[in-house]
Amino acid sequence: MKEKIALFGAGGKMGVRLSKNLLKSDFVVRHVEPSVVGRQRLKDEVGLTCVDVDEALDNADVVILAVPDTLIGKISHDISPKLRAGTMVMLLDAAAPFAGHLPDRKDLTYFVAHPCHPTIYNDETEEAARRDYFGGGAARQSITSALMQGPESAFDLGEAVAKAIYQPIKNSYRLTVEQMALLEPGLSETVCATLLQVMRDAMDEVVRRGVPHDCARDFLLGHMNILGAVIFNEIPGAFSDACNKAITFGKPRLMRDDWLKVFDREEIADSIRRIT
């Protein structure tokens, strides 16, 4: 008999995505959603109804907390007395586990799984896959997983659930929780999202200075495409001398000398404290 999953936050945006994908698996899933709006969304979009917390947790093998980071601590502590030894609690982000918000129960398994999202450079041919920027729908994406605590034998179950909720899968990577925190919020949000916002601000500025909006957008996105392909070795190539000189003089103009300190553990911890 397949493992039983209790999915908390089943009617949220992420929860609905997970619910749809779990329908394609052999897992037995019970759905929990406190809000009336969320329960109706789950019913309308997936055709599923919710159960109460006690029914969902009865003999559950895996509990997925598809809820905001700020609620992980409260919900995990609320349900902890109802979980039998050996139950896996799965988190979808490393923030709350990294920050120490989970109950101190050594007999529970804590597993973290987070998607990479579909890569910019891919070989998708179907329109739905090309337009699936988030993942978990039509486009393949890679995933990251960490067994935070629990027996080594539990990793296979956690990875199987992760592959089910984030399907279709490209690659599956095993990391530690600390490594996942380096990737998010460190690499993906503190660095990538910030610099992308800076690029958008820069585009808006050249528009303010007279460049037509559509022209500036096409010019920037086109250069992001080719420059990124070279920088990330998607294609063989090299920048012109002029471009290399622009980078040499532009980087210190835009970036502090010590910007790599955003990956120091205390910096990551501070970032996570702000969001949890």
Side-chain angles (χ1 to χ4, degrees), residues 17 162 164 202 213 253:
R17 289 175 182 272
H213 175 274
R253 183 71 174 84

Side-chain angles (χ1 to χ4, degrees), residues 163-216:
K163 287 181 176 180
I165 62 178
Y166 294 134
Q167 64 180 293
I169 303 299
K170 180 186 176 189
N171 296 309
S172 179
Y173 301 106
R174 182 170 184 175
L175 304 175
T176 65
V177 171
E178 289 74 17
Q179 289 171 330
M180 293 180 77
L182 285 172
L183 293 178
E184 186 165 312
L187 182 63
S188 63
E189 295 174 344
T190 304
V191 176
C192 183
T194 299
L195 294 182
L196 285 171
Q197 183 62 60
V198 168
M199 285 191 281
R200 174 57 195 264
D201 293 344
M203 186 196 86
D204 290 343
E205 177 62 16
V206 300
V207 171
R208 189 187 71 81
R209 292 173 182 245
V211 178
H213 175 274
D214 290 351
C215 173

Side-chain angles (χ1 to χ4, degrees), residues 24-266:
K24 307 171 190 175
S25 74
D26 294 328
F27 294 111
V28 177
V29 186
R30 297 162 184 160
H31 304 80
V32 177
E33 172 56 52
S35 77
V36 174
V37 173
R39 290 196 295 271
Q40 190 61 49
R41 181 189 297 120
L42 188 67
K43 181 69 173 178
D44 293 342
E45 296 188 26
V46 197
L48 296 172
T49 57
C50 293
V51 299
D52 63 32
V53 171
D54 289 341
E55 182 178 347
L57 295 179
D58 184 30
N59 287 317
D61 299 293
V62 180
V63 179
I64 302 175
L65 299 183
V67 300
D69 289 327
T70 52
L71 297 179
I72 293 289
K74 180 182 186 307
I75 294 175
S76 62
H77 280 80
D78 286 347
I79 67 174
S80 178
K82 303 174 185 291
L83 302 180
R84 58 183 173 80
T87 302
M88 175 180 290
V89 178
M90 177 175 284
L91 297 308
L92 307 183
D93 189 280
F98 183 92
H101 292 326
L102 300 179
D104 184 17
R105 276 194 58 180
K106 304 303 183 187
D107 59 343
L108 295 178
T109 294
Y110 292 149
F111 194 93
V112 187
H114 193 77
C116 295
H117 304 298
T119 179
I120 292 173
Y121 303 108
N122 60 70
D123 57 0
E124 302 289 358
T125 58
E126 299 296 326
E127 178 67 12
R130 290 198 301 270
R131 302 291 295 181
D132 180 13
Y133 303 117
F134 191 88
R140 293 189 307 147
Q141 65 177 338
S142 296
I143 59 173
T144 60
S145 299
L147 180 61
M148 184 177 182
Q149 79 171 36
E152 178 61 26
S153 58
F155 182 83
D156 288 345
L157 172 58
E159 185 181 45
V161 175
K163 287 181 176 180
I165 62 178
Y166 294 134
Q167 64 180 293
I169 303 299
K170 180 186 176 189
N171 296 309
S172 179
Y173 301 106
R174 182 170 184 175
L175 304 175
T176 65
V177 171
E178 289 74 17
Q179 289 171 330
M180 293 180 77
L182 285 172
L183 293 178
E184 186 165 312
L187 182 63
S188 63
E189 295 174 344
T190 304
V191 176
C192 183
T194 299
L195 294 182
L196 285 171
Q197 183 62 60
V198 168
M199 285 191 281
R200 174 57 195 264
D201 293 344
M203 186 196 86
D204 290 343
E205 177 62 16
V206 300
V207 171
R208 189 187 71 81
R209 292 173 182 245
V211 178
H213 175 274
D214 290 351
C215 173
R217 187 177 189 275
D218 284 352
F219 201 87
L220 177 60
L221 295 182
H223 278 75
M224 286 172 62
N225 188 31
I226 181 57
L227 296 174
V230 173
I231 290 173
F232 290 99
N233 302 314
E234 188 68 20
I235 60 172
F239 293 156
S240 66
D241 289 344
C243 183
N244 284 324
K245 286 180 180 178
I247 294 171
T248 299
F249 287 95
K251 194 171 182 180
R253 183 71 174 84
L254 297 173
M255 307 293 291
R256 289 171 38 163
D257 291 341
D258 64 346
W259 73 271
L260 284 172
K261 288 184 178 295
V262 299
F263 294 109
D264 288 354
R265 197 179 197 284
E266 57 270 24

